[in-house]
Every structure is written in structure tokens, then in C-alpha cells.
């Protein structure tokens, strides 16, 4: 049920843990060296960068620390920061995630994790290309290139760290539910569920929700006998396992809802509600630290599902706009471009050359009337511009009289005199 494993030393190892992922993410300009430091830029992290051997190798054997701080020879020394563990050598790209094994060595970090601090965030350096585009219907302003790892941090919500390094805070839960692995052939098969769940996922989620909702805490009005203590302890363990299973089911559903599909988002919300109910009903049987940890995980899921719901709405809007968008044949497009270029050529004779490559015909007309100071109603710029230019000759084409004067010896003598 869990990917957490402890070795003979009591050290925690989490296998196949997500480190970072493909997608479009918001960053302040000052974090990526952009021209406008306080502007939010949408940064695209492409799959081809995460699958590069250089990127994968740079994340192997990196230190695991508590909270972000760039460490190394030219940064904070590792011994001063305190290394709590490490990423193993089994780092690989499993679209859309970059995954790796995590080993936690220190008791301090183990206590933080047990207390509910379970978000992971990689610290790394990278290069940025300020090129805009679209990834799966989402606009981006910048492409992230050449990621080179520095550390993996255990973090609370939010971003910290110096501006010279990227601090990437995707909320990634360490303790996730293990699903029945599919063969390569099965992975390629389309699912029957429009929300993005595989049949195995649906079966597990349904089973877990049934288990949670059917579990009810046992009560006894009479004092428990000495021989019943073991039974009570087992009941507490069962209640804790049921609550944990419900939260894990919600995490599985939320991960599947990352597609932004409306049905998947709705199912994730139902799973989260079921988990919240299970934790609430189990409160009296659980230790406070366990309750806090489960509630914290659910809080992160709630925040994530809110974003996914917004994405779902936006995707529906984009699909509707794409459907309603009028089509233009090639001949009409060429005709419009030729008209724009002709107008731009005429206007440039009066105001000087300007770049019209990214303008429409209407934008060229608006630019022309603005530069020439022509007053006209909005929408009539093209007509006003044609009327204004009619009969006018640009200064550069005005006839000019040229005069060559020969300076002879006599004129020089008259000007300067003779000595």
C-alpha cells in the first residue's frame, strides 16, 4: 500500500519518487533572469530536457536537505547546511515525471516527515530561452533548458532560495499508493474511462472508499478488561489503516485528475471528500500527529484540485473557441498579407521604415494615423490614411535643385588675400 520502506538501520527509502515533471509553470521574472523582474512568466519544462542523459545524471546522488539552499564549493558548504539523506543512482524519466529513489538518513528529517512535512522540491540551475508557444493548450513565454541538479529539499508551501537558482515547488507527496503495474502492451491500450482512470485505478479507488465508509469505530460503555486491550489496539490499527487508505485513494484520484478532464476532477473531489470524512470519523482513535499528517496531505490535495478545476474550465473554453474559430483559405490569407505590405510601404514613405511583419492590415493603418497625427473615428483608420496620402508627395520624393560651385583662385585671393 505504501512505497515507504525501512532498512535494517531504520533509514527510510522511497522508491520511484517524483522529483520534477513536464509542464508549464509560473515564475517571477527575477527568478529566471527575465527583463521584467516582477512580471509572472509561464515557463515550459519540456520532456526532451528531462529525458536528456546529462539532466538525469545530474540528479543522481544529490544531497537531500531540509528547506532550500544552494550548496557546494561556491555556495553553502554541505557540512554547514546539514545533509539529511540523498537521491540514489536509480534516476530515470517516466513521462511526465523525472523519478528517483530517495533515502532519508537523519532522525530529524524522519520526524518532520512523520509530522506531515512531505513536500519535495528540487533545487537546480538551468538556462532559459525566451520563446513563446503552446503546450497542450497552455500558453508559455519561456522554455527551460539544460537542467542541472544541486539538491532535493523537504519544504513547506511556498518558494525560498537565492534568485540565481531555480526553486521548483511542485507539491509531490512522498508516500503514494502503489498501483498494480501494467505491462507495456497494456499501457498503450486506451482506457474505457473518459476521466483518465485505468480500470485498475477505478477498482482500487472503489474498494478503498467502500472500506472507509463501511468502517465504524467500536464503542463499549463498560470498562475494557485486561484481555481486551489487544483487541482495542487492533481496532485502532484498523481505523488508522482505513483513514490512511482513504487518503491514499484521494491522492491516486488527484494524480489522475492532472489531465484537467472534468470527469476526472469530479471523481477526485469525491475521493477527497470520502477521505476527509474517514479522517474526521477516526479522529478519536488516532494520535494527534497522525491526524495532523493526514489533514495536511488532504489540504494539499484540496489546493491542487482547485487548480485542476480551473484548468478544466479553461480547457473547455479553449475547445469551444477552437471549434468556433473561422477558417481562412490560403488565397485569402495571401491577399490580406499583400494588402498589409502595400499599405506599410506607402506609410513608410511618410514616417520612415518600421517593422510590420507581425502586424495586421488594420494595425498598420492604426500605427500610421497615430504617427501622422490624423484624427479619425476608430475603425476608419484605413480610409482616413488613404485620403490623407492622396495627392501628397513624401519629402523623400520632392524635387530638389542641386548647385555645384567651382571655387577659383581669384575667389580664394579675395577671401583670404595674398601674402
Amino acid at each position: 500500500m505504501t512505497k515507504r520502506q525501512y532498512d535494517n538501520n531504520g533509514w527510510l527509502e522511497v522508491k520511484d519518487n517524483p522529483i520534477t515533471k513536464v509542464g508549464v509553470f509560473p515564475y517571477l521574472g527575477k527568478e529566471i533572469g527575465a527583463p521584467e523582474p516582477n512580471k509572472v512568466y509561464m515557463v515550459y519544462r519540456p520532456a526532451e530536457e528531462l529525458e536528456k542523459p546529462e539532466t538525469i545524471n545530474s540528479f543522481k546522488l544529490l544531497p537531500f536537505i531540509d528547506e532550500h539552499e544552494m550548496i557546494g564549493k561556491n555556495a553553502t558548504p554541505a557540512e554547514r547546511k546539514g545533509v539529511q539523506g540523498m537521491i540514489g543512482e536509480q534516476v530515470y524519466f517516466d513521462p511526465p515525471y523525472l523519478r528517483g529513489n530517495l533515502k532519508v538518513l537523519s532522525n530529524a528529517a524522519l520526524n518532520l516527515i512523520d509530522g506531515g512535512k512531505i513536500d519535495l522540491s528540487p533545487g537546480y540551475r538551468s538556462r532559459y530561452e525566451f520563446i513563446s508557444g503552446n503546450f497542450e493548450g497552455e500558453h508559455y513565454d519561456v522554455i527551460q533548458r539544460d537542467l542541472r541538479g544541486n539538491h532535493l529539499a523537504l519544504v513547506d508551501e511556498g518558494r525560498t532560495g537565492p534568485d540565481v537558482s531555480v526553486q521548483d515547488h511542485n507539491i509531490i507527496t512522498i508516500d503514494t499508493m502503489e498501483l498494480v503495474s501494467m505491462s507495456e502492451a497494456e499501457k498503450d491500450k486506451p482506457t474505457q474511462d473518459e476521466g483518465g482512470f485505468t480500470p485498475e485505478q477505478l477498482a482500487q479507488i472503489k474498494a478503498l472508499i467502500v472500506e472507509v465508509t463501511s468502517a465504524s469505530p467500536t464503542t463499549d460503555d463498560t470498562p475494557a478488561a485486561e484481555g481486551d486491550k489487544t483487541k482495542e489496539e487492533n481496532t485502532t490499527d484498523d481505523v488508522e489503516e482505513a483513514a490512511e487508505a482513504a487518503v491514499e485513494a484521494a491522492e491516486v484520484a488527484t494524480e489522475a485528475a492532472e489531465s484537467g478532464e472534468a470527469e476526472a476532477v469530479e471523481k477526485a473531489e469525491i475521493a477527497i471528500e470520502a477521505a476527509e470524512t474517514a479522517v474526521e470519523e477516526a479522529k478519536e482513535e488516532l494520535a494527534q500527529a497522525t491526524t495532523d499528517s493526514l489533514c495536511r496531505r488532504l489540504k494539499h490535495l484540496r489546493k491542487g484540485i482547485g487548480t485542476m478545476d480551473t484548468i478544466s474550465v479553461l480547457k473547455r473554453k479553449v475547445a469551444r473557441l477552437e471549434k468556433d474559430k473561422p477558417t481562412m483559405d490560403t488565397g485569402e490569407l495571401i491577399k490580406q498579407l499583400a494588402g498589409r505590405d502595400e499599405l506599410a510601404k506607402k506609410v513608410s514613405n511618410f514616417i520612415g521604415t518600421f517593422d510590420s511583419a507581425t502586424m495586421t492590415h488594420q494595425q498598420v493603418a492604426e500605427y500610421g494615423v497615430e504617427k501622422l497625427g490624423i484624427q479619425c473615428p476608430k475603425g476608419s483608420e484605413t480610409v482616413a490614411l488613404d485620403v490623407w496620402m492622396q495627392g501628397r508627395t513624401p519629402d523623400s520624393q520632392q524635387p530638389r535643385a542641386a548647385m555645384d560651385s567651382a571655387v577659383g583662385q581669384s575667389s580664394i585671393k579675395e577671401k583670404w588675400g595674398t601674402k
Side-chain angles (χ1 to χ4, degrees):
M1 295 292 291
T2 175
K3 288 186 178 179
R4 292 185 182 182
Q5 298 179 0
Y6 293 86
D7 63 16
N8 293 332
N9 298 309
W11 293 339
L12 168 66
E13 182 174 2
V14 187
K15 295 184 177 180
D16 308 315
N17 197 82
I19 297 172
T20 188
K21 65 181 290 188
V22 173
V24 178
F25 308 95
Y27 289 94
L28 279 177
K30 65 182 180 181
E31 294 178 287
I32 60 175
E36 299 181 47
N38 295 320
K39 176 184 174 181
V40 175
Y41 290 80
M42 300 306 294
V43 178
Y44 171 42
R45 186 180 306 131
E48 61 262 28
E49 292 299 325
L50 293 185
E51 67 183 0
K52 282 183 176 179
E54 297 86 353
T55 300
I56 293 173
N57 289 334
S58 77
F59 279 91
K60 292 179 180 179
L61 300 176
L62 285 186
F64 174 64
I65 60 178
D66 179 30
E67 295 298 336
H68 275 299
E69 191 165 348
M70 297 299 282
I71 58 180
K73 183 177 180 181
N74 298 319
T76 302
E79 63 272 18
R80 184 190 302 172
K81 173 60 181 174
V83 175
Q84 312 296 327
M86 68 188 71
I87 300 177
E89 290 188 291
Q90 301 302 315
V91 178
Y92 61 97
F93 182 57
D94 176 28
Y97 295 102
L98 182 67
R99 296 181 182 271
N101 288 12
L102 171 65
K103 177 156 281 193
V104 182
L105 307 178
S106 78
N107 289 337
L110 288 172
N111 291 335
L112 289 171
I113 292 170
D114 289 338
K117 188 175 183 179
I118 54 175
D119 295 346
L120 291 181
S121 170
Y124 52 89
R125 295 180 174 85
S126 63
R127 181 173 60 83
Y128 295 91
E129 290 181 358
F130 288 84
I131 300 173
S132 61
N134 190 282
F135 172 69
E136 294 185 350
E138 195 167 0
H139 172 79
Y140 60 83
D141 310 297
V142 186
I143 302 177
Q144 194 174 52
R145 302 287 191 192
D146 301 333
L147 283 75
R148 297 296 181 266
N150 178 269
H151 64 267
L152 184 66
L154 187 66
V155 296
D156 287 313
E157 221 170 318
R159 289 186 176 183
T160 59
D163 294 338
V164 295
S165 62
V166 176
Q167 306 301 331
D168 172 46
H169 278 232
N170 291 314
I171 294 176
I172 301 174
T173 304
I174 292 177
D175 192 2
T176 57
M177 181 179 180
E178 288 189 85
L179 299 178
V180 178
S181 60
M182 297 183 291
S183 67
E184 290 302 317
E186 290 172 326
K187 286 182 181 179
D188 293 334
K189 292 180 182 178
T191 65
Q192 300 300 315
D193 178 59
E194 294 180 357
F197 289 129
T198 64
E200 290 85 357
Q201 287 175 318
L202 283 172
Q204 289 185 36
I205 291 170
K206 289 177 181 178
L208 288 169
I209 292 176
V210 169
E211 180 183 350
V212 171
T213 54
S214 63
S216 59
T218 57
T219 58
D220 192 352
D221 294 334
T222 59
E226 203 57 44
D228 293 335
K229 286 185 178 180
T230 302
K231 184 178 180 181
E232 290 179 1
E233 290 173 356
N234 291 337
T235 300
T236 300
D237 290 341
D238 292 342
V239 170
E240 183 175 346
E241 287 179 5
E244 174 71 25
V247 174
E248 289 179 347
E251 289 171 341
V252 171
T254 303
E255 183 176 352
E258 288 182 357
S259 64
E261 297 297 332
E263 188 175 350
V265 172
E266 183 180 354
K267 289 180 178 179
E269 289 176 341
I270 293 172
I272 292 173
E273 288 175 4
E276 289 172 338
T277 301
V279 172
E280 183 65 29
E281 291 177 351
K283 263 186 178 180
E284 294 182 2
E285 301 289 338
L286 301 178
Q288 186 62 45
T290 302
T291 302
D292 291 345
S293 175
L294 294 174
C295 289
R296 183 180 178 129
R297 287 161 65 183
L298 288 172
K299 178 183 176 183
H300 288 320
L301 294 181
R302 272 289 177 202
K303 182 177 179 181
I305 206 66
T307 302
M308 293 170 201
D309 200 26
T310 302
I311 292 172
S312 177
V313 172
L314 290 174
K315 280 191 172 183
R316 289 196 296 271
K317 286 183 178 179
V318 169
R320 188 166 59 251
L321 290 172
E322 288 291 334
K323 183 179 179 181
D324 297 339
K325 185 171 63 178
T327 58
M328 182 183 298
D329 61 36
T330 305
E332 181 63 23
L333 180 60
I334 292 174
K335 183 178 177 181
Q336 287 196 15
L337 291 175
R340 177 203 66 186
D341 293 342
E342 180 65 24
L343 180 60
K345 182 179 179 181
K346 291 179 181 178
V347 173
S348 63
N349 288 330
F350 292 95
I351 65 174
T353 303
F354 62 98
D355 185 8
S356 61
T358 59
M359 293 181 175
T360 63
H361 187 283
Q362 177 62 22
Q363 288 171 333
V364 170
E366 291 173 357
Y367 182 77
V369 297
E370 179 186 351
K371 289 296 183 182
L372 293 169
I374 302 172
Q375 300 296 321
C376 65
K378 186 169 180 60
S380 62
E381 290 85 359
T382 300
V383 175
L385 198 56
D386 285 338
V387 171
W388 188 91
M389 291 189 296
Q390 190 70 33
R392 280 187 167 86
T393 303
D395 291 343
S396 60
Q397 299 176 12
Q398 294 284 355
R400 298 180 184 276
M403 187 179 296
D404 292 333
S405 57
V407 180
Q409 289 293 326
S410 58
S411 61
I412 294 176
K413 289 178 180 180
E414 289 172 0
K415 185 174 182 179
W416 297 101
T418 55
K419 295 187 178 178

